[in-house]
């Protein structure tokens, strides 16, 4: 073979986008790199490029930017219990060839913009794809979501409710059907609490959510929601976090707006005139209210996220830009 690999993704390995290794190639001849993703059993070519060895006959190819463009998050579904993230995982094939030989590598890339351990599937099976605090205050009609990467047959989403007499009740909210592994669940209090048979007057004002295997044993982290009173100033923001899950950030403070209108002005013989291509927009400023240290970390992920963000008004999601 006229070239060899010093470094490549592991065959059939799983990677977050930042953890994807570059292709490090050593050889004296020009090479061609072709990147495809596999859809319904067929290759969809995304990129073809030619490369010439540099010093020490080395070529370094980094596909991170190209792969980032292949992912798309599902629009939040406010009126359904569950919706899938059908493009959370991409099955990738890269072919490296010269005029003598062609070699391919197949691997999987997940829509995660954070560094993860090498055993990424094992890590994902132990947690929800959320950056929110593990105990989170919420209100009865607040939109709340949790995304999980399912990998085992019979896995299910479970809610645990608590009676004032210290007994508890387990309710299965969802059973994975074995299709798309990344699933977003609507775990809003108004929806989840309705699944409990404990009378409301005897029900404790909190509940836990976790994933169990087919035998009922808990395999994931436990997410707790604690009910509090809503205020007229509450504003709910949805966003896709750095792990690829849908989160809700609630701010309690004044939301103010300022309109900005820009017009192009031209100087003519008859004086200044305004052209038709005016540009107008409205900028909003949100006071967050008090945040704990854990919630401040959560806010940081909201601000730094490069994915879709929304404000929820009267049950409707509206795209926003931070």
């Amino acid at each position: 073979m006229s070239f060899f690999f010093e470094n490549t993704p592991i065959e059939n390995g799983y990677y977050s986008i930042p953890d994807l290794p570059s292709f490090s190639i050593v050889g004296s001849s020009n090479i061609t790199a072709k990147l495809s993703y596999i859809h319904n059993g067929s290759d969809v070519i995304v990129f073809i490029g030619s490369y010439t060895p540099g010093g020490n006959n080395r070529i370094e190819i980094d596909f991170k930017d190209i792969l980032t463009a292949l992912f798309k998050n599902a629009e939040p579904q406010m009126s359904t219990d569950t919706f899938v993230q059908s493009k959370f995982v991409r099955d990738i094939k890269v072919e490296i060839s010269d005029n003598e030989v062609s070699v391919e590598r197949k691997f999987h890339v997940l829509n995660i913009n954070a560094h993860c351990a090498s055993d990424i599937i094992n890590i994902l099976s132990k947690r929800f794809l959320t950056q929110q605090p593990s105990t989170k205050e919420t209100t009865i009609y607040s939109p709340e979501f949790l995304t999980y990467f399912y990998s085992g047959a019979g896995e299910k989403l479970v809610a645990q409710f608590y009676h004032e007499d210290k007994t508890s009740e387990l309710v299965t909210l969802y059973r994975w059907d074995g299709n798309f592994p990344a699933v977003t669940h609507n775990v809003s209090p108004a929806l989840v609490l309705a699944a409990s048979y404990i009378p409301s007057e005897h029900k404790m004002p909190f509940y836990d959510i976790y994933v169990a295997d087919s035998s009922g044993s808990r395999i994931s982290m436990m997410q707790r929601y604690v009910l509090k009173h809503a205020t007229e100033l509450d504003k709910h923001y949805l966003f896709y976090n750095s792990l690829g899950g849908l989160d809700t950030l609630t701010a309690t403070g004044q939301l103010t707006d300022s309109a900005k209108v820009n017009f192009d002005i031209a100087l003519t013989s008859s004086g200044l005139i305004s052209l038709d291509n005016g540009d107008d927009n409205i900028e909003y400023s949100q006071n967050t209210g008090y945040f704990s240290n854990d919630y401040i970390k959560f806010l940081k992920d909201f601000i730094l996220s490069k994915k879709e963000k929304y404000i929820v008004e009267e049950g409707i999601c509206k795209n926003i830009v931070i």
Side-chain angles (χ1 to χ4, degrees), residues 259-277:
K260 294 187 176 182
V261 181
N262 298 310
F263 290 98
D264 294 333
I265 303 297
L267 178 62
T268 68
S269 58
S270 58
L272 293 175
I273 63 170
S274 175
L275 303 179
D276 291 336
N277 55 336

Side-chain angles (χ1 to χ4, degrees), residues 205-225:
F206 56 87
Y207 58 93
D208 295 322
I209 303 287
Y210 63 88
V211 173
D213 61 18
S214 57
S215 68
S217 299
R218 180 167 67 89
I219 59 175
S220 77
M221 64 178 279
M222 186 174 285
Q223 178 68 49
R224 171 163 290 189
Y225 293 96

